[in-house]
């Protein structure tokens, strides 16, 4: 699932592929923007803000969000050709946006309005742990996992990190935010987790990069807890699936 680290790495790959190059092809397969043609303009800048991506080309800014299944692929698209929403090429280099949750062309001068609602970006230059901690604990009764996922408090945490952070701090995903004695530690740990994974293809929160050992609880329903051996529980009834160890988390 794309989270802030995935988007950060995607931006780095797009930057490497396109920045400073003149577009020789611009094929946008979204009806609303199908007539937009940025061919002949140089890609000035690629940036990520939380889980949002911006490719700035002249007076335009290509804003995308990967949501659940989206990706940007450099070179040949792997499978799912009909899900390609945009193709950009600069000479021999091609970048395709596949199954994007959001794709829109914004005026560059005002593109940041699309992310004005976001809290500090965990991987951005605007990161502020005290501001994020204050926003996280603003509503003390809110379930912890839900608060961690709120991009207005801090931008970049997705469902994998939300569940992993709850485990690391020994709290159930449904425990109230007020059960966290020190919200500053939580946001700092979130930032460390995403930062450590920003260049990795397979993210790890356990510190172990071996396949099948990367995560504490996420996606491990029924498997033994890595700390105590109790089977990991899951709840799929809400809008976001949760995972927890019934012994380690309260
Ligand atoms: Zn356990």
């Amino acid at each position: 699932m794309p989270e802030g680290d995935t988007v950060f790495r995607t931006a780095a790959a797009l930057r490497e592929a396109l920045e400073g190059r003149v577009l020789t092809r611009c094929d946008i397969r979204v009806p609303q923007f199908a007539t937009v043609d940025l061919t002949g303009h140089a890609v000035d800048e690629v940036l990520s803000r939380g889980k949002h991506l911006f490719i700035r080309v002249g007076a335009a800014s290509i804003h995308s969000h990967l949501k659940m299944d989206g990706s940007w692929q450099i070179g040949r698209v792997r499978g799912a050709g009909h899900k390609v929403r945009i193709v950009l090429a600069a000479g021999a280099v091609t970048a395709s946006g596949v199954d994007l949750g959001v794709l829109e062309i914004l005026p560059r001068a005002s593109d940041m309005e699309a992310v004005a609602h976001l809290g500090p970006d965990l991987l951005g230059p605007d990161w502020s742990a005290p501001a994020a901690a204050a926003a996280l604990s603003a509503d003390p009764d809110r379930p912890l996992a839900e608060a961690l996922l709120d991009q207005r408090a801090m931008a970049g945490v997705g469902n994998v990190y939300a569940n992993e952070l709850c485990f690391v701090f020994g709290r159930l995903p449904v425990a109230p935010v007020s059960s966290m004695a020190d919200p500053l530690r939580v946001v700092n740990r979130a930032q460390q987790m995403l930062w450590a994974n920003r260049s990795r293809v397979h993210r790890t929160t356990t510190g172990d990069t071996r396949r099948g050992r990367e995560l504490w609880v996420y996606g491990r329903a029924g498997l033994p807890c890595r700390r105590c051996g109790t089977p990991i529980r899951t709840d799929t009834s809400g809008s976001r699936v949760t995972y927890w160890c019934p012994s380690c988390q309260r």
Side-chain angles (χ1 to χ4, degrees):
M1 188 178 302
E3 307 208 11
D5 53 354
T6 317
V7 178
F8 186 91
R9 200 174 65 247
T10 300
L14 286 169
R15 197 173 291 130
E16 172 77 22
L18 296 176
E19 208 169 79
R21 301 207 166 99
V22 173
L23 292 180
T24 52
R25 183 183 173 197
C26 173
D27 177 6
I28 303 173
R29 301 172 188 171
V30 174
Q32 198 187 344
F33 301 104
T35 58
V36 174
D37 186 3
L38 302 171
T39 303
H41 297 274
V43 175
D44 301 311
E45 198 176 6
V46 179
L47 56 148
S48 59
R49 286 288 177 273
K51 294 192 263 180
H52 299 252
L53 265 166
F54 297 87
I55 302 171
R56 288 172 162 173
V57 186
S61 182
I62 302 165
H63 170 221
S64 60
H65 192 296
L66 307 182
K67 298 275 171 153
M68 302 298 272
D69 301 307
S71 63
W72 275 92
Q73 301 178 18
I74 312 295
R76 252 172 91 96
V77 173
R78 298 176 293 281
H82 64 287
K83 290 184 175 173
V84 172
R85 295 289 171 263
I86 181 169
V87 180
L88 300 174
V93 182
T94 302
S96 305
V98 183
D99 211 4
L100 302 170
V102 172
L103 175 64
E104 57 181 357
I105 313 302
L106 302 173
R108 174 182 174 157
S110 58
D111 61 352
M112 287 296 112
E113 286 174 13
V115 288
H117 62 289
L118 297 181
D121 181 352
L122 284 148
L123 298 177
D126 65 324
W127 172 242
S128 161
L136 183 72
S137 43
D139 180 355
D141 297 330
R142 204 169 182 198
L144 182 57
E146 183 188 309
L148 287 166
L149 282 166
D150 188 342
Q151 305 296 300
R152 293 169 300 180
M154 56 182 171
V157 170
N159 206 32
V160 177
Y161 285 114
N163 280 273
E164 295 293 288
L165 284 161
C166 288
F167 176 85
V168 166
F169 285 92
R171 291 289 176 270
L172 293 169
V174 293
V177 167
S178 58
S179 67
M180 298 301 314
D182 188 353
L184 196 58
R185 277 188 61 215
V186 180
V187 302
N188 277 326
R189 187 62 178 266
Q191 201 273 341
Q192 287 159 12
M193 274 188 184
L194 267 83
W195 185 257
N197 284 302
R198 72 194 185 285
S199 314
R200 288 191 183 124
V201 175
H202 300 290
R203 73 168 67 90
T204 174
T205 56
T206 59
D208 194 332
T209 54
R210 286 173 288 180
R211 294 292 268 166
R213 301 194 187 197
E214 301 100 325
L215 301 175
W216 292 110
V217 292
Y218 190 89
R220 301 193 64 243
L223 295 172
C225 171
R226 298 190 194 284
R227 279 207 184 124
C228 74
T230 305
I232 298 298
R233 303 269 298 271
T234 187
D235 180 359
T236 55
S237 65
S239 60
R240 299 290 202 130
V241 58
T242 52
Y243 298 90
W244 70 93
C245 169
S247 299
C248 294
Q249 292 170 258
R250 301 284 165 192

